[in-house]
Amino acid sequence: MSADRINLLRTKVFDKSKWMQLPRDVVIGHDVIEQIPTVCEDLALGDSVLIVSGDRTRDVAGKRVEALLSGSYEIATFAAGEDDPLETIRKAEEAVAEAGFVIGVGGGRVIDVAKIASYNTDRHFISIPTAASHDGIVSSRASVPTADGNVSLAAEPPIAVVADTAVIASAPHRLLASGCADIIANYTAIRDWELSHRLRGEPLSEYALTLSRMTAEILFKNADLIKPHSEESAWLVTKALVSSGVAMSIAGSSRPGSGGEHKFSHALEILAPGKGLHGEKCGIGAIITMYLHGGDWEGIRDSLKKIGAPTTPAGIGVDDETAVAALLAARTIRPERFTILDMGLTEESAQDLVKMLYRE
């Protein structure tokens, strides 16, 4: 009897795959900007480079990078000014077309322009932050302000990060404090992720979640060590920002570092543009969302105070009514990303939450 016509069950083969892009070189420390030629040589990215910087950050570090690479590379420069962000990105892409790779020297805005331009032109990107104001120095996402508020775009994660603590420590302390707040907000971001996993079945990466939580704990528990213009503080915060960015790359999204507190921040940017830094608003949002999660919201608030980050809307020049409106509007920001703020918050409850921020 022939078995040719019998349908046999095929053995299930594990076919899950994932592509993670992580930095190959991460150099953090005193005067490490001097090592940028060695990093570029190690990566072998080509013989021409576009250096993207801002008007101020070019004086702070951009010119030094140009001088260090001038003998070995064909150098072009691009100034990411205060013009329309989308037009700036378009012009940067045109400039990148003539270069083998890209170096971004600056704060969050400059780094984001360099990241998006390199992503859209299929070039590698090296991140040289001049301030530790948020975890965008390493992540594969970029925030771009538009008339309708900030939008998060896919971008090129850096193939290398060169973070000079002497440069970062010389930046205004407010920027460092904002970076701390952005990282501490990971606490509530991962709670929102877990909530969405339980209620909506959203996939969860335990590895990325654990790394994000550990990163937040480092700054939460060492808030007393964050001092103005201290290289030790810059070292601690920069390492945390790198770790948070790696967690996002592992997850394949910004979920490990972006939950309801970020939706609140983006809503505030629409309702009160230019008020407060990104990390500052996320820190305030984290106090609120941790309260809603039933966690240690007072601990987050106290850590932010020790670091020197604002903990109330008044601290960033926003009135309470606008903060209430932002809490209610948060559900309209990235509605596909479920968070604690999407669970039926009422106007009365939002008002009580804002009042809670001022408790002693």
Side-chain angles (χ1 to χ4, degrees):
M1 178 178 176
S2 172
D4 292 345
R5 300 177 61 128
I6 299 175
N7 291 324
L8 301 177
L9 293 175
R10 297 174 59 189
T11 302
K12 182 174 176 58
V13 177
F14 181 79
D15 58 1
K16 185 176 181 179
S17 65
K18 183 165 186 148
W19 187 348
M20 291 185 292
Q21 291 181 290
L22 304 174
R24 274 178 49 185
D25 294 339
V26 177
V27 188
I28 305 172
H30 180 74
D31 282 349
V32 296
I33 198 169
E34 301 294 324
Q35 298 183 36
I36 189 63
T38 303
V39 171
C40 292
E41 181 180 357
D42 175 60
L43 297 172
L45 302 176
D47 56 9
S48 61
V49 57
L50 177 72
I51 300 176
V52 180
S53 62
D55 292 335
R56 183 175 178 278
T57 56
R58 184 166 185 258
D59 291 333
V60 170
K63 290 179 180 178
R64 182 59 187 152
V65 174
E66 294 170 29
L68 288 166
L69 298 179
S70 61
S72 305
Y73 297 87
E74 181 181 335
I75 295 173
T77 61
F78 180 83
E82 301 291 341
D83 300 332
D84 174 65
L86 295 178
E87 180 65 14
T88 298
I89 291 169
R90 186 192 65 77
K91 291 179 179 178
E93 290 173 7
E94 292 179 354
V96 172
E98 303 299 322
F101 64 103
V102 182
I103 296 178
V105 184
R109 177 177 53 82
V110 170
I111 295 293
D112 282 347
V113 168
K115 278 201 294 186
I116 296 172
S118 59
Y119 178 81
N120 290 342
T121 57
D122 197 26
R123 300 293 195 277
H124 281 302
F125 159 65
I126 296 175
S127 175
I128 304 182
T130 56
S133 57
H134 64 71
D135 54 19
I137 63 176
V138 178
S139 72
S140 59
R141 307 295 298 182
S143 182
V144 179
T146 70
D148 298 321
N150 284 22
V151 295
S152 179
L153 301 177
E156 181 73 8
I159 194 170
V161 180
V162 180
D164 194 315
T165 52
V167 173
I168 292 171
S170 68
H173 179 67
R174 183 185 179 189
L175 299 177
L176 191 73
S178 176
C180 289
D182 198 12
I183 293 299
I184 290 174
N186 284 13
Y187 265 137
T188 53
I190 59 176
R191 288 203 177 210
D192 280 333
W193 197 8
E194 290 173 317
L195 180 68
S196 183
H197 174 67
R198 292 193 298 269
L199 297 184
R200 299 290 182 87
E202 181 180 345
L204 187 73
S205 167
E206 291 288 351
Y207 185 14
L209 186 146
T210 301
L211 180 57
S212 180
R213 178 187 292 116
M214 179 191 71
T215 302
E217 285 177 355
I218 290 172
L219 296 185
F220 180 79
K221 294 179 178 179
N222 293 286
D224 290 330
L225 303 180
I226 308 302
K227 305 295 182 184
H229 307 302
S230 160
E231 280 202 58
E232 289 81 3
S233 298
W235 167 273
L236 186 66
V237 177
T238 303
K239 287 202 301 179
L241 293 171
V242 170
S243 179
S244 183
V246 168
M248 294 183 204
S249 292
I250 292 170
S253 77
S254 59
R255 253 309 195 180
S258 175
E261 73 296 322
H262 273 63
K263 294 174 74 164
F264 169 72
S265 172
H266 293 318
L268 268 182
E269 184 60 38
I270 297 172
L271 297 172
K275 298 288 187 179
L277 299 175
H278 169 74
E280 293 175 334
K281 291 178 285 191
C282 290
I284 296 170
I287 300 172
I288 294 172
T289 52
M290 185 59 89
Y291 178 89
L292 291 173
H293 278 293
D296 185 13
W297 65 273
E298 291 171 307
I300 289 181
R301 181 193 63 184
D302 294 344
S303 292
L304 294 176
K305 284 183 176 180
K306 290 176 184 177
I307 289 165
T311 57
T312 65
I316 56 173
V318 172
D319 59 70
D320 293 352
E321 291 76 15
T322 301
V324 169
L327 282 174
L328 296 174
R331 72 189 69 173
T332 66
I333 306 295
R334 298 195 68 179
E336 78 283 359
R337 175 159 293 186
F338 185 76
T339 76
I340 195 77
L341 295 181
D342 298 301
M343 296 190 67
L345 188 67
T346 66
E347 183 171 1
E348 183 179 1
S349 295
Q351 291 170 346
D352 289 340
L353 288 169
V354 172
K355 290 177 182 177
M356 175 268 295
L357 295 171
Y358 295 92
R359 291 181 195 169
E360 292 297 333

